[in-house]
PDB file of all heavy atoms in Angstrom:
ATOM      1  N   GLY A 295     120.357  40.906 -24.345  1.00  0.00           N
ATOM      2  CA  GLY A 295     121.680  40.419 -24.161  1.00  0.00           C
ATOM      3  C   GLY A 295     121.920  40.047 -22.676  1.00  0.00           C
ATOM      4  O   GLY A 295     121.153  40.457 -21.844  1.00  0.00           O
ATOM      5  N   SER A 296     123.069  39.408 -22.417  1.00  0.00           N
ATOM      6  CA  SER A 296     123.204  39.029 -20.996  1.00  0.00           C
ATOM      7  C   SER A 296     123.737  40.139 -20.149  1.00  0.00           C
ATOM      8  O   SER A 296     123.560  40.126 -18.940  1.00  0.00           O
ATOM      9  CB  SER A 296     124.033  37.763 -20.910  1.00  0.00           C
ATOM     10  OG  SER A 296     125.400  38.101 -21.360  1.00  0.00           O
ATOM     11  N   GLN A 297     124.283  41.212 -20.756  1.00  0.00           N
ATOM     12  CA  GLN A 297     124.774  42.311 -19.970  1.00  0.00           C
ATOM     13  C   GLN A 297     123.536  43.005 -19.319  1.00  0.00           C
ATOM     14  O   GLN A 297     123.598  43.436 -18.148  1.00  0.00           O
ATOM     15  CB  GLN A 297     125.481  43.247 -20.859  1.00  0.00           C
ATOM     16  CG  GLN A 297     126.272  44.364 -20.164  1.00  0.00           C
ATOM     17  CD  GLN A 297     127.516  43.863 -19.499  1.00  0.00           C
ATOM     18  OE1 GLN A 297     128.069  42.826 -19.896  1.00  0.00           O
ATOM     19  NE2 GLN A 297     128.082  44.570 -18.530  1.00  0.00           N
ATOM     20  N   TYR A 321     135.892  39.711 -15.570  1.00  0.00           N
ATOM     21  CA  TYR A 321     135.362  40.306 -16.805  1.00  0.00           C
ATOM     22  C   TYR A 321     135.268  41.868 -16.563  1.00  0.00           C
ATOM     23  O   TYR A 321     134.544  42.240 -15.641  1.00  0.00           O
ATOM     24  CB  TYR A 321     133.972  39.685 -17.082  1.00  0.00           C
ATOM     25  CG  TYR A 321     133.105  40.415 -18.106  1.00  0.00           C
ATOM     26  CD1 TYR A 321     133.635  40.877 -19.283  1.00  0.00           C
ATOM     27  CD2 TYR A 321     131.762  40.650 -17.830  1.00  0.00           C
ATOM     28  CE1 TYR A 321     132.775  41.468 -20.246  1.00  0.00           C
ATOM     29  CE2 TYR A 321     130.981  41.313 -18.691  1.00  0.00           C
ATOM     30  CZ  TYR A 321     131.491  41.723 -19.914  1.00  0.00           C
ATOM     31  OH  TYR A 321     130.683  42.379 -20.874  1.00  0.00           O
ATOM     32  N   TYR A 368     130.535  35.799  -8.384  1.00  0.00           N
ATOM     33  CA  TYR A 368     130.337  36.036  -9.778  1.00  0.00           C
ATOM     34  C   TYR A 368     131.328  35.249 -10.533  1.00  0.00           C
ATOM     35  O   TYR A 368     132.565  35.388 -10.273  1.00  0.00           O
ATOM     36  CB  TYR A 368     130.404  37.499 -10.087  1.00  0.00           C
ATOM     37  CG  TYR A 368     130.479  37.813 -11.557  1.00  0.00           C
ATOM     38  CD1 TYR A 368     129.320  37.672 -12.370  1.00  0.00           C
ATOM     39  CD2 TYR A 368     131.611  38.165 -12.118  1.00  0.00           C
ATOM     40  CE1 TYR A 368     129.406  37.941 -13.765  1.00  0.00           C
ATOM     41  CE2 TYR A 368     131.683  38.479 -13.574  1.00  0.00           C
ATOM     42  CZ  TYR A 368     130.555  38.303 -14.307  1.00  0.00           C
ATOM     43  OH  TYR A 368     130.645  38.527 -15.680  1.00  0.00           O
ATOM     44  N   VAL A 370     132.517  33.475 -14.547  1.00  0.00           N
ATOM     45  CA  VAL A 370     132.324  33.142 -16.003  1.00  0.00           C
ATOM     46  C   VAL A 370     133.025  31.825 -16.208  1.00  0.00           C
ATOM     47  O   VAL A 370     134.236  31.696 -16.407  1.00  0.00           O
ATOM     48  CB  VAL A 370     133.050  34.266 -16.831  1.00  0.00           C
ATOM     49  CG1 VAL A 370     132.840  33.967 -18.274  1.00  0.00           C
ATOM     50  CG2 VAL A 370     132.419  35.586 -16.480  1.00  0.00           C
ATOM     51  N   ASN A 375     136.351  35.149 -19.714  1.00  0.00           N
ATOM     52  CA  ASN A 375     136.791  36.469 -20.215  1.00  0.00           C
ATOM     53  C   ASN A 375     137.378  37.158 -18.965  1.00  0.00           C
ATOM     54  O   ASN A 375     136.643  37.503 -18.076  1.00  0.00           O
ATOM     55  CB  ASN A 375     135.579  37.235 -20.783  1.00  0.00           C
ATOM     56  CG  ASN A 375     135.913  38.562 -21.274  1.00  0.00           C
ATOM     57  OD1 ASN A 375     137.122  39.017 -21.184  1.00  0.00           O
ATOM     58  ND2 ASN A 375     134.997  39.286 -21.867  1.00  0.00           N
ATOM     59  N   ASP A 403     127.636  33.595 -15.243  1.00  0.00           N
ATOM     60  CA  ASP A 403     127.590  34.369 -16.480  1.00  0.00           C
ATOM     61  C   ASP A 403     128.289  33.509 -17.506  1.00  0.00           C
ATOM     62  O   ASP A 403     129.539  33.424 -17.515  1.00  0.00           O
ATOM     63  CB  ASP A 403     128.291  35.712 -16.258  1.00  0.00           C
ATOM     64  CG  ASP A 403     128.216  36.694 -17.439  1.00  0.00           C
ATOM     65  OD1 ASP A 403     127.453  36.405 -18.293  1.00  0.00           O
ATOM     66  OD2 ASP A 403     128.877  37.734 -17.415  1.00  0.00           O
ATOM     67  N   PRO A 405     128.317  33.317 -21.297  1.00  0.00           N
ATOM     68  CA  PRO A 405     128.068  33.587 -22.706  1.00  0.00           C
ATOM     69  C   PRO A 405     128.889  32.722 -23.708  1.00  0.00           C
ATOM     70  O   PRO A 405     128.550  32.655 -24.916  1.00  0.00           O
ATOM     71  CB  PRO A 405     128.426  35.076 -22.897  1.00  0.00           C
ATOM     72  CG  PRO A 405     129.443  35.332 -21.820  1.00  0.00           C
ATOM     73  CD  PRO A 405     129.078  34.481 -20.671  1.00  0.00           C
ATOM     74  N   TYR A 406     129.947  32.045 -23.156  1.00  0.00           N
ATOM     75  CA  TYR A 406     130.780  31.302 -24.054  1.00  0.00           C
ATOM     76  C   TYR A 406     130.478  29.747 -23.916  1.00  0.00           C
ATOM     77  O   TYR A 406     131.242  28.885 -24.358  1.00  0.00           O
ATOM     78  CB  TYR A 406     132.267  31.500 -23.739  1.00  0.00           C
ATOM     79  CG  TYR A 406     132.604  33.009 -23.905  1.00  0.00           C
ATOM     80  CD1 TYR A 406     132.622  33.802 -22.714  1.00  0.00           C
ATOM     81  CD2 TYR A 406     132.697  33.645 -25.119  1.00  0.00           C
ATOM     82  CE1 TYR A 406     132.806  35.134 -22.817  1.00  0.00           C
ATOM     83  CE2 TYR A 406     132.979  34.982 -25.204  1.00  0.00           C
ATOM     84  CZ  TYR A 406     132.993  35.730 -24.060  1.00  0.00           C
ATOM     85  OH  TYR A 406     133.162  37.085 -24.175  1.00  0.00           O
ATOM     86  N   SER A 438     123.639  33.966 -23.284  1.00  0.00           N
ATOM     87  CA  SER A 438     123.688  34.949 -24.312  1.00  0.00           C
ATOM     88  C   SER A 438     123.676  34.413 -25.759  1.00  0.00           C
ATOM     89  O   SER A 438     124.301  33.338 -25.916  1.00  0.00           O
ATOM     90  CB  SER A 438     124.953  35.831 -24.161  1.00  0.00           C
ATOM     91  OG  SER A 438     125.190  36.668 -25.269  1.00  0.00           O
ATOM     92  N   SER A 440     124.731  36.330 -28.127  1.00  0.00           N
ATOM     93  CA  SER A 440     125.616  37.235 -28.818  1.00  0.00           C
ATOM     94  C   SER A 440     126.782  36.567 -29.514  1.00  0.00           C
ATOM     95  O   SER A 440     127.145  36.894 -30.639  1.00  0.00           O
ATOM     96  CB  SER A 440     126.276  38.244 -27.790  1.00  0.00           C
ATOM     97  OG  SER A 440     125.337  39.226 -27.363  1.00  0.00           O
ATOM     98  N   LYS A 441     127.305  35.485 -28.851  1.00  0.00           N
ATOM     99  CA  LYS A 441     128.551  34.871 -29.446  1.00  0.00           C
ATOM    100  C   LYS A 441     128.197  33.823 -30.432  1.00  0.00           C
ATOM    101  O   LYS A 441     129.071  33.287 -31.134  1.00  0.00           O
ATOM    102  CB  LYS A 441     129.364  34.296 -28.266  1.00  0.00           C
ATOM    103  CG  LYS A 441     129.535  35.158 -27.070  1.00  0.00           C
ATOM    104  CD  LYS A 441     130.366  36.457 -27.356  1.00  0.00           C
ATOM    105  CE  LYS A 441     130.364  37.319 -26.193  1.00  0.00           C
ATOM    106  NZ  LYS A 441     131.118  38.610 -26.360  1.00  0.00           N
ATOM    107  N   ARG A 448     121.020  41.487 -29.706  1.00  0.00           N
ATOM    108  CA  ARG A 448     120.757  41.699 -28.253  1.00  0.00           C
ATOM    109  C   ARG A 448     119.794  40.766 -27.594  1.00  0.00           C
ATOM    110  O   ARG A 448     118.767  41.223 -27.178  1.00  0.00           O
ATOM    111  CB  ARG A 448     120.402  43.129 -27.956  1.00  0.00           C
ATOM    112  CG  ARG A 448     121.219  44.288 -28.528  1.00  0.00           C
ATOM    113  CD  ARG A 448     122.699  44.144 -28.187  1.00  0.00           C
ATOM    114  NE  ARG A 448     122.988  44.208 -26.764  1.00  0.00           N
ATOM    115  CZ  ARG A 448     123.842  43.337 -26.162  1.00  0.00           C
ATOM    116  NH1 ARG A 448     124.494  42.412 -26.868  1.00  0.00           N
ATOM    117  NH2 ARG A 448     124.077  43.447 -24.858  1.00  0.00           N
TER     118      ARG A 448
HETATM  119  C1  LIG B 701     131.564  37.413 -19.503  1.00  0.00           C
HETATM  120  C2  LIG B 701     130.679  38.264 -20.316  1.00  0.00           C
HETATM  121  N1  LIG B 701     129.500  38.520 -19.883  1.00  0.00           N
HETATM  122  C3  LIG B 701     128.593  39.246 -20.624  1.00  0.00           C
HETATM  123  C4  LIG B 701     128.985  39.736 -21.878  1.00  0.00           C
HETATM  124  C5  LIG B 701     127.881  40.590 -22.623  1.00  0.00           C
HETATM  125  O1  LIG B 701     127.153  39.730 -23.430  1.00  0.00           O
HETATM  126  P1  LIG B 701     125.836  40.217 -24.203  1.00  0.00           P
HETATM  127  O2  LIG B 701     126.293  40.665 -25.569  1.00  0.00           O
HETATM  128  O3  LIG B 701     124.962  39.042 -24.235  1.00  0.00           O
HETATM  129  O4  LIG B 701     125.225  41.273 -23.420  1.00  0.00           O
HETATM  130  C6  LIG B 701     130.217  39.503 -22.390  1.00  0.00           C
HETATM  131  C7  LIG B 701     130.583  40.015 -23.725  1.00  0.00           C
HETATM  132  O5  LIG B 701     131.675  40.048 -24.092  1.00  0.00           O
HETATM  133  C8  LIG B 701     131.107  38.672 -21.604  1.00  0.00           C
HETATM  134  O6  LIG B 701     132.267  38.413 -22.055  1.00  0.00           O
END
Side-chain angles (χ1 to χ4, degrees):
S296 63
Q297 192 76 19
Y321 166 49
Y368 169 71
V370 180
N375 181 356
D403 186 8
Y406 306 98
S438 169
S440 287
K441 315 295 175 179
R448 309 305 302 135

